[in-house]
């Protein structure tokens, strides 16, 4: 740095008081908004029906509440590093918290679905900067030998939030209103902003970097951002509305148009970004084998997590009569085991256990939990849902931290920032894909099972005739009208058929998720030996 720049840097020096705060207090300040931001990816899942009813919208349209947030989050993640470098990490972090909190208030005040979607987009854009910034603060606040514990805390927040989300969202929706799933962010956001404003300060190397950047012309990859935005919007809209529009059989050509735009924009994005000196999305980390395999595994694993987090409450609400709170409550015990497993796995990695063994074990456990759930039927109790969910989450917790070790161990340091953003982007998009595919698979399998079950409703079948006879007799006693009794008997039979078809469809979904998890284990042998370096952070990013 030139001497002329020194007077500029001096006023930016942090006061001595900022340096005496405990790093654990700083960790608390940055983990709170991270937990809040990740929580909002799933907290609305169990409340979509209530939101649709409250805003006089179709239930299928209410899915945009989830999709819009994830799409906006995905667009901002790759450029969060550039924004942080130019604004200052502390300033960007505080700005993100403020906008996220204000957007949450506006979401709760929305009077139409269009307004809610707009404010959710604002939430997602603000929330995209919270995870990378909080991770960077943790790494700078702790000495190398304690970074493992600090990042384990970050991993607990990142994994526990989507697990707790449905339970908290269900409780607030049932006891108060769906609007409170957004209002709950106001006191949390205010506390996080207050703590971060007092405790955080950019380290010297970031201040120097910012001073140097101010001397140079602004160099932002605007051309690269445009195809990225088109890719993410087309991707999210296809996932959200594809089933409703009949995918590639859409008579109005909407899905076909979105698919063409997606392919063209993705091709342009990859070509342009691989030839740009400062790309908005740097694909070069994918050339490293471990990182590429880790990205594929985390994409699919989070797809399974979000798919099951969508399918399980829907199953319980539609077929078992659970309200939003009780449906979420069934999922909550798994959160306790996830925290325990993260701590155990972090300790094992710190002692030199090869991450690949933990990843394989975790994927097999993840598959086992889904397979166990696929064997259930309509006679199951709440605990019959709790324990397969616990096994599933234990498996996911086992791969969370090891993937972090395997992904970044061989990634060059100059590409590590880009790798973190790309890894987070694919993790979030995996959740979006899982949510959409769960709904699509359930609807299509329900149609399939309805047709197959209907084939067995033969008038010459003794079981069919016996059921109708008993039903007619029962309804005749209730109504005294033979014609009405016959109609009610057939309607009762139709209801049972649809109930069975829906249950088989949901359990088919879990079977597919199990096969996917088992298949991912076959990728691990392609990874290089991955043992955490002493003092390296070993929790999930």
């Amino acid at each position: 740095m030139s001497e002329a720049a020194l007077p500029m840097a001096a006023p930016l020096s942090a006061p001595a008081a900022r340096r005496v705060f405990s790093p654990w207090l700083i960790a608390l300040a940055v983990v709170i908004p991270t937990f809040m931001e990740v929580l909002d990816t799933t907290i609305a899942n169990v409340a979509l029906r209530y939101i649709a009813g409250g805003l006089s919208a179709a239930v299928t349209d209410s899915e945009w509440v989830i999709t819009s947030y994830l799409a906006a989050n995905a667009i901002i993640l790759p450029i969060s590093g550039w924004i942080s470098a130019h604004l200052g990490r502390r300033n960007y972090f505080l700005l993100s918290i403020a906008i996220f909190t204000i957007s949450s208030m506006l979401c709760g005040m929305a009077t139409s679905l269009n307004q809610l979607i707009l404010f959710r987009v604002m939430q997602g854009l603000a929330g995209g900067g919270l995870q990378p910034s909080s991770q960077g603060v943790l790494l700078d606040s702790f000495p190398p030998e304690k970074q493992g514990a600090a990042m384990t805390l970050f991993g607990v927040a990142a994994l526990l939030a989507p697990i707790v989300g449905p339970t908290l969202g269900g409780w607030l929706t049932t006891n108060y209103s769906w609007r409170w799933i957004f209002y709950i962010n106001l006191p949390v956001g205010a506390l996080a902003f207050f703590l971060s404003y007092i405790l955080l300060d950019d380290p010297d190397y970031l201040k120097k970097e910012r001073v140097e950047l101010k001397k140079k012309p602004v160099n932002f990859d605007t051309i690269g951002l445009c195809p990225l935005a088109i890719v993410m919007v087309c991707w999210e809209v296809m996932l959200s509305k594809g089933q409703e529009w009949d995918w590639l059989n859409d008579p109005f050509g909407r899905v076909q148009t979105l698919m063409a735009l997606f392919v063209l924009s993705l091709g342009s994005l990859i070509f342009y970004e691989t030839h740009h000196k400062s790309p908005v999305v740097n694909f070069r980390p994918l050339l490293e084998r471990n990182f590429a395999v880790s990205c594929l595994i985390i994409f699919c694993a989070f797809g399974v997590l979000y798919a099951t987090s969508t399918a399980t409450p829907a199953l319980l609400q539609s077929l078992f009569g659970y309200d939003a709170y009780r449906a979420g409550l069934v999922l909550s015990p798994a959160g306790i085991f996830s925290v325990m497993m993260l701590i155990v796995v972090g300790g094992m990695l710190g002692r030199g256990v090869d991450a690949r063994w933990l990843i394989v074990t975790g994927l097999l456990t993840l598959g086992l939990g889904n397979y166990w759930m696929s064997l259930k039927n309509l006679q199951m109790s709440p605990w019959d849902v709790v324990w397969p969910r616990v096994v599933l989450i234990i498996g996911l917790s086992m791969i969370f931290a090891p993937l972090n070790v395997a992904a970044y161990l061989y990634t060059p340091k100059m590409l590590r920032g880009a790798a973190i953003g790309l890894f987070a982007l694919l993790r979030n998009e995996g959740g979006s894909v899982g949510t959409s595919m769960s709904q699509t698979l359930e609807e299509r399998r329900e149609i399939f099972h309805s047709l197959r079950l209907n084939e067995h409703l033969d008038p010459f079948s003794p079981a069919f005739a016996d059921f109708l006879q008993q039903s007619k007799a029962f309804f005749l006693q209730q109504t005294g009208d033979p014609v009405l009794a016959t109609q009610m008997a057939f309607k009762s039979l139709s209801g049972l058929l649809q109930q069975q078809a829906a249950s088989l469809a949901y359990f088919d979904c879990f079977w597919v998720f199990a096969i996917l998890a088992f298949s991912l284990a076959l990728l691990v042998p392609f990874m290089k030996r991955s043992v955490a370096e002493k003092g390296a952070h070993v929790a999930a990013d």
Side-chain angles (χ1 to χ4, degrees):
M1 177 182 294
S2 64
E3 292 185 5
L6 290 177
M8 297 175 61
L12 293 173
S13 300
R18 291 188 181 275
R19 299 179 183 273
V20 300
F21 292 113
S22 167
W24 289 107
L25 191 58
I26 296 175
L28 177 64
V30 299
V31 165
I32 288 175
T34 298
F35 182 87
M36 177 178 65
E37 188 271 328
V38 180
L39 183 76
D40 268 52
T41 62
T42 60
I43 194 171
N45 282 1
V46 296
L48 293 181
R49 298 173 186 268
Y50 298 83
I51 292 173
L55 298 178
S56 301
V59 175
T60 52
D61 290 337
S62 68
E63 295 170 8
W64 286 98
V65 174
I66 307 296
T67 303
S68 58
Y69 181 86
L70 293 173
N73 212 261
I75 292 173
I76 206 69
L77 270 171
I79 63 174
S80 60
W82 186 92
I83 299 174
S84 177
H86 285 76
L87 290 183
R89 189 173 64 194
R90 176 179 180 270
N91 294 336
Y92 181 45
F93 191 64
L94 291 173
L95 181 64
S96 297
I97 296 175
I99 296 177
F100 188 91
T101 306
I102 294 171
S103 301
S104 297
M105 179 185 67
L106 294 175
C107 285
M109 298 169 61
T111 57
S112 69
L113 186 61
N114 289 335
Q115 285 185 9
L116 180 57
I117 292 171
L118 173 62
F119 299 142
R120 283 287 280 178
V121 169
M122 292 171 57
Q123 253 194 334
L125 292 174
L130 291 176
Q131 290 187 52
S133 298
S134 63
Q135 183 186 358
V137 170
L138 287 172
L139 293 176
D140 286 335
S141 301
F142 285 81
E145 64 273 11
K146 291 185 178 181
Q147 286 182 1
M151 294 307 296
T152 297
L153 179 62
F154 180 89
V156 168
L159 182 59
L160 191 59
I163 298 172
V164 172
T167 305
L168 179 60
W171 182 78
L172 291 170
T173 302
T174 302
N175 292 281
Y176 298 97
S177 164
W178 63 265
R179 298 182 184 275
W180 280 95
I181 65 178
F182 302 112
Y183 287 147
I184 192 67
N185 289 336
L186 299 184
V188 179
L191 175 63
F193 185 90
F194 176 74
L195 291 176
S196 299
Y197 182 82
I198 294 176
L199 301 175
L200 298 189
D201 188 33
D202 288 340
D204 291 337
Y205 78 91
L206 286 181
K207 294 177 180 178
K208 293 178 181 178
E209 178 184 351
R210 188 181 174 197
V211 170
E212 293 296 328
L213 286 173
K214 286 183 176 180
K215 300 177 182 178
K216 303 176 182 178
V218 176
N219 181 25
F220 181 69
D221 184 16
T222 307
I223 298 177
L225 181 62
C226 292
L228 172 65
I230 295 174
V231 165
M232 299 316 304
V233 170
C234 292
W235 176 253
E236 293 292 349
V237 173
M238 278 195 300
L239 291 176
S240 178
K241 309 299 288 186
Q243 176 62 17
E244 181 185 342
W245 294 342
D246 200 20
W247 294 104
L248 294 178
N249 294 319
D250 180 13
F252 299 101
R254 292 165 294 188
V255 175
Q256 295 89 329
T257 302
L258 289 171
M259 178 68 75
L261 285 173
F262 172 78
V263 173
L264 291 174
S265 299
L266 181 61
S268 302
L269 178 68
I270 294 174
F271 177 80
Y272 183 78
E273 297 299 86
T274 52
H275 292 80
H276 196 274
K277 294 182 179 179
S278 181
V280 67
V281 181
N282 194 338
F283 293 102
R284 293 181 182 89
L286 290 172
L287 297 175
E288 204 288 305
R289 189 173 68 197
N290 262 32
F291 182 76
V293 175
S294 297
C295 283
L296 181 57
I297 292 177
I298 199 66
F299 179 88
C300 295
F302 259 68
V304 171
L305 170 63
Y306 278 73
T308 56
S309 298
T310 301
T312 305
L315 167 67
L316 297 175
Q317 288 178 285
S318 61
L319 299 180
F320 290 86
Y322 287 37
D323 58 23
Y325 169 58
R326 287 178 174 81
L329 195 62
V330 171
L331 308 182
S332 59
I336 301 173
F337 290 88
S338 72
V339 175
M340 296 169 57
M341 185 53 61
L342 278 171
I343 296 173
V344 171
V345 170
M348 295 175 68
L349 288 171
R351 294 180 181 179
V353 176
D354 193 332
R356 295 176 299 173
W357 292 107
L358 294 171
I359 294 172
V360 167
T361 306
L363 290 172
L364 294 178
T365 306
L366 178 64
L368 181 62
N370 279 290
Y371 180 70
W372 189 3
M373 189 65 190
S374 73
L375 301 178
K376 301 300 179 180
N377 54 47
L378 289 174
Q379 306 304 315
M380 65 184 183
S381 69
W383 287 105
D384 289 326
V385 182
V386 168
W387 292 115
R389 177 74 177 179
V390 167
V391 174
L392 185 157
I393 295 301
I394 286 176
L396 192 67
S397 301
M398 291 180 69
I399 69 173
F400 214 56
L403 276 175
N404 184 66
V405 172
Y408 304 122
L409 188 60
Y410 298 99
T411 301
K413 289 186 177 181
M414 68 285 298
L415 293 177
R416 193 160 292 180
I420 290 174
L422 192 58
F423 197 75
L425 173 64
L426 291 173
R427 183 184 65 205
N428 283 15
E429 284 309 295
S432 182
V433 171
T435 300
S436 176
M437 291 299 100
S438 172
Q439 295 167 347
T440 299
L441 183 61
E442 189 279 325
E443 290 182 23
R444 300 217 161 193
R445 293 301 293 176
E446 183 175 350
I447 295 172
F448 169 80
H449 285 297
S450 294
L451 295 173
R452 294 302 302 269
L453 290 173
N454 196 55
E455 294 174 0
H456 298 280
L457 298 183
D458 189 340
F460 298 102
S461 168
F464 176 78
D466 185 57
F467 176 86
L468 279 184
Q469 184 178 1
Q470 292 184 21
S471 298
K472 286 179 184 178
F474 173 78
F475 290 119
L476 183 61
Q477 288 181 343
Q478 303 297 318
T479 64
D481 185 340
V483 176
L484 182 59
T486 301
Q487 293 176 346
M488 294 178 70
F490 276 105
K491 187 174 182 180
S492 174
L493 180 62
S494 176
L496 286 174
L497 184 146
Q498 293 302 321
Q499 185 184 46
Q500 290 293 331
S503 68
L504 291 171
Y506 279 114
F507 297 133
D508 282 354
C509 291
F510 290 106
W511 186 84
V512 171
F513 304 152
I515 296 301
L516 176 59
F518 289 140
S519 301
L520 290 175
L522 300 176
L523 297 175
V524 179
F526 293 97
M527 302 173 70
K528 293 177 281 189
R529 185 173 182 269
S530 304
V531 177
E533 299 175 357
K534 186 175 181 181
H537 66 275
V538 295
D541 289 315

